[in-house]
Each structure stands twice: as C-alpha cells, then as structure tokens.
Amino acid sequence: MFDVKELEKIKAGKKKWSEGTLAKTLSKAPEKKAKTTWSGIPVETLYTPAENAGLDYESKLGYPGEYPYTRGVQPNMFRGRFWTMRQYAGFGSAKETNARYRYLLGQGQTGLSVAFHLPTQAGYDSDHPLSMGEVGKVGAAIDHIGDMRILFDQIPLDKVTTSMTVNAAATALLGMYLSVAEEQGAKYDQLGGTIQNDVLKEIICRGQYIYPPKPTMRLTVDLIEFCQKYVPRWNSISISGYHIRESGSTAAQEMAFTIADGIAYAEACAARGIPVDSFAPRLSFFFNAFTDVLEEVAKFRAARRVWAKIMKDRFKAKDPRSMMLRYHVQTGGVTLTAQQPLNNIVRVALQTFATALGGHQSLHTNSYDEALCLPTQGAVTVALRTQQIIAEESGACVTVDPLAGSYYIEYLTDKIEAEIEDYIKKIDAMGGTLTAIEQGYIQKEIQNSAYLFQKSIDSGERAYVGVNKYTMEEPPVTDLLRVDMKVGEEKAKELKEWRAKRDNAAWKKSLDKLREVSKTDTNVMPTVIEAVKAGATVGEVCDVWRDVFGQYRPKEFIS
Amino acid sequence: MAEKKIKIIVAKPGLDGHDRGAKLLSRIFAEAGMEVVYTGLRQTPEMIVEAALQEDADVVGLSSLSGVHNYFFPKVVELLKAKKLANVLVVGGGIIPLEDIPELKKAGIAEIFGPGTSTEVIVDFIRSNVKAK
C-alpha cells in the first residue's frame, strides 16, 4: 500500500521519534508494565505504515461483498439494513417463553432465538432423573411437538426467522419446528432461521454432548443434507466460537478453533458427496465479543479473510456465497461482573460497538444482571436498546468497515490472521480437528489461556473494574428472575398425560422405524419428523440413538 | 508436623456444561498442594457422594451455573451425612444469587464463592476450614 521509499522514510522517522521524543518522556515517566490486548498480544506504543509494510490493498482488503471479504460480506453492510437483533431467550414453560417472545417482537426485535432448557439440549425428557432441578431453568422446557406448538403460538413462522440453540439433539427439535410451521400453513422453503447443530464444540467445551464424535457428526450432516434439499433458506449449522471464548480462549484461538471445526464439517459434508457450493453457503458461524474493541474488530476481519481463503483454495468453492463468513455474535457473558452489575451495561455497549465495527449479521446483547441470574425483563430491554442506540446513534453503521486503514487495526488483523493459520497448520499436522479434540489438544490450549488470564487477575497485573480494582461494598441485588421448582412437577404431570393420549401403535412404529433407519446410511431426518409427529418426545428419540450409537464419555483434560 | 495432603473432589452437579471454573480451580488446588479429583460433568448427588466416599475426600467443591444450586447443594450435604461423612467440608461456587447464600449455609454448605472471587481466597478458606478426621 506504501511505496518502498516512503516506507524507508517512515521507518527512519519512527526510529528517530522513538529514540528522541518518546525516550525523553519515558525517561521521566517510565511505563510500569508491558501493554497487551485483552488476549495478551503485545502492543507497541505507536503504529505507522512501517508495521503495515506487507499490506497490499487489493489482495488483502479489497472491497466489501468481494473476495477475500475482509471488509464485510455485503457491499453496503448496515447502510442497507441493520443486523438482525436477536435476543436469546427462554425459561420456564413453553407458555412463559412464548409471552417473552411476543414482548420482544413488540419492542422491535427482528428475530427469535430459542433457549432450550438443559434436559432438552442433552436429550432427556423433563421427568428423567437427570433432569431433576433443571426443568425450565436456563431455557424453555420443550419435550414434544405439543410444547413446540405453544412456544410459537400466534407467531407466524413464515414471517420471523428463528435461531435454535440445540446441538446433539438438533434433528429432533428441527423436526418439531418444521412440523409446527407446516401446521401453521407455511412451506419448508419459506422458513428462515438457524439451528446450532455444532456438536464438536459441545465436546470441546460446552458439555451438551450425547453421542460419540462419529455418530453425532453423522446426525449433524444428515440435518445439513436435509436442509440443503428441502429447507433451502435454513442455516443448517452455526459453527460456534462463542463458547470456546467463554471457556477461556484468546480472541485468535476462538477464531482458529472455530474455523478448524468448520473445516471438519465441510470435510464431512464433502465426504457425504454434497458439492461444496451446495452446503457451504448455508454454513453460518457464531462468535463472542469482548470489551477490547480494537482486538475484536481485528479478529472478525481476520477470520473473514482466513475462511474465504480456505473455502476457495482448500475446498475449491466457486460460488462467492460459499466463501463468505456470515456470523451471529453474542456479547461476552463471561466478561460480566456480579460486582457493581450496572457497569455491565457499559461493557455490553462497547462489545456491541466492536461488533458493529466488525461487520456482523445478527447480534444478541447480554443483560447486565446475567452474572447474577437469568435476565429480568427490564435488563433485557436495556440490552436490546443498546443495540438500537449503536445502530441508530453511534455512527458505526454509516459506512462500511470504518476502521480499515488504521495502522493498528491492520497490524492486529494480520497478526491474528497469522495466529489462526498457525493453529490450522498444527491441527492439520496432527491429523485434523477430530484427532486434535480426541488428544485434548484444543481443550488444553483453551484451559491454559483461562489459567493465564485468571493468574493475571489474581495478581492484579490486569485490572478488572469492580473485581480487583475500584471495588466497593454494595447491598445484594434482589428482584432476580427465578424459575419455580413447580415447573418441573407440572411438566412431569403433563408428560404423563401426553404419553397416555397419543396413538400408541403409530408412536411405537415410528420409533422402531427410526431405529432401523439409524443403523443404515439413510438420512434420519424424514423418519425423525414422522416420529415427532407421532408424539415421540425428545428423550425417546434420543434414547433410540443412545441404544444404536452409544453415549459419549469424555476424558477430562486438566491443564 | 508432617501434614497429610488435603484431598478435594471438584464436581459438576446436574446437566450444566460450564466447567471453566471447575477445571481452573482443579489446577489451582493441585498447584496449592492439594490432591484433586475432578468428576467431570453430569454428576448426580449420589455419584458425588460416592466419589467422596471412595476417595476418602476431605473437601467437596460444587460448581453450578445453571441455577440448580438450591436443589443440588443441600442434597449433597444430606447424603454425605447419611454416609457418615459429615466431616467433609462442602463449598460451592458459580452463578448463585447472594440472597440464596444464607439458606445454603444453613443447609451445611460452608461457603459460596461467586464470580470474581480471587482463587487465593478460595484456597485459604479451604486450608483453614478443612476438618480433622
């Protein structure tokens, strides 16, 4: 971007400044400690064109909506329309959650995002012994198609787009969703949304796995293949770095390990014989946003460039849409503090600002009370308004990729890109993502970063407002949102009635068929849909596969 | 006085998958000279107490971020007592509202460590409260 002569001049100028003007200041007031990004990348006092010497504009940045998509996947980004504001929500019963959805849609939210309670995610019914105490706690208790009907009562599924956070049990829940949409009169090809369906990160760090890696990947690909044929507007996977970051990774590791997972899914789809340009445009991603605005912006730009290169060079994609890294963001849950919780509003605002400058497709903003409990309605409203303020008032959305060309941002983008590519090389050399996970490599890398971060907080080397600096005594927060234990009892009673009133013969036949199909190479999705329509519960569908596939028991790696 | 190493079970009750804190503390406890057994995810109170019995543990550390602490933590204490393991020190941590803590303490959980607690505070608490057996 800069000619050689000019660069030489700038290099000399910076050296002179560093040894003169800067040195004089530092001799009087030395900097106490080395400066780094929040993830620990060393940061210099000043960035100039000299640190951007390798930056070729056309090949590395280019234009938004064009390869390598560093500057964004759409030509005019938020000038055309803002991102989808999508708040992840769900608690208690399907009925309570339906009320929260209708409230959020009434407040200008533009998409839904379903939080299922842990039993649903782990493939257990609400009355299973392992569900004790968990029913309705961190999401809605959805056991069967009847619950799904209530969840979307009076919400037209051909109009809203819905994101569903469910992975190992994804096929069963998508089956219910598609069936309810059909009952409402919608056609499969009118439905838009996303299902997380990313089982690898469950094994790496999120913990909602059910089956061993190979069969669980088979279900993932069955769902992707089914959607590619029949639900063309559906994002059939959301490859997630969010939880990797929450577990303690650095920003670069978040992108590296997510992209490594993405490669594994793309390879599995290709092995199934699906042409790359048929599945790749429907691969979507999900990332975190922390408070170090500049590091986050660089991280998003770097990941777009790396993914585009991988899809083009490694997977030989031809369709530009296959090369676009499209992603949802959630602000960093783990960055929120239980101390002085109102401070979290500021953190979320900065994280939202970073996300907007980074150029995303949809966003969930956390509520300030989430280090204490599930978000209360008032806190959720502030979180949604934060997105609206950044979108409408901050100036982040009036031009595309506004930080491009900043010497620091471009340096950091290159630096993170190099770190991502380094990890991908290492993982390839190990034999691929699944092997790296089996060996605990990825898990240990993340845990080590979490450890180093904690050490820096404990020692006070890194300041955390309200936690290890600027602390104060404060009264406990009351009026927290609570889910009554009664939800569990009521759900158990309701399940009993559900099982008693369904057509027993049809139900049994559908599950027997599912068992047979699962033992073959045939795609399970159509049979799953038959089973949930016949009244089979999440737990019953997942139990069939527990029998056929076995259950995953992880090795624990403590590092 | 040659002291026996403190033995601690770090456990994740229920279906909650948030194990960053549990794994981090496992490493910190080990570095502090304790003997650590991390159970992994999806533990029932029965499994946790069985582990405490088998391992002859001095301490059980429970971690929960899914809001099930009021159900699981007292249950673990109750089962420990039933197995005549009332001497085992039980501590907990995670996303636990401050207003829940008095009840949990009444139920026999010695201390609750919320988000942002320094790991030194936790190690010191365990060292000074572990009971003689």
Side-chain angles (χ1 to χ4, degrees), chain A residues 105-142:
Chain A
L105 290 171
Q107 294 305 308
Q109 174 168 303
T110 46
L112 293 175
S113 176
V114 184
F116 295 107
H117 73 166
L118 290 174
T120 302
Q121 297 191 44
Y124 294 113
D125 288 337
S126 293
D127 56 355
H128 188 279
L130 268 171
S131 305
M132 286 296 290
E134 306 272 10
V135 178
K137 277 282 175 349
V138 300
I142 305 296

Side-chain angles (χ1 to χ4, degrees), chain A residues 240-254:
Chain A
S240 307
Y242 181 79
H243 319 88
I244 290 172
R245 190 75 179 281
E246 289 288 296
S247 303
S249 84
T250 64
Q253 286 171 337
E254 175 193 354

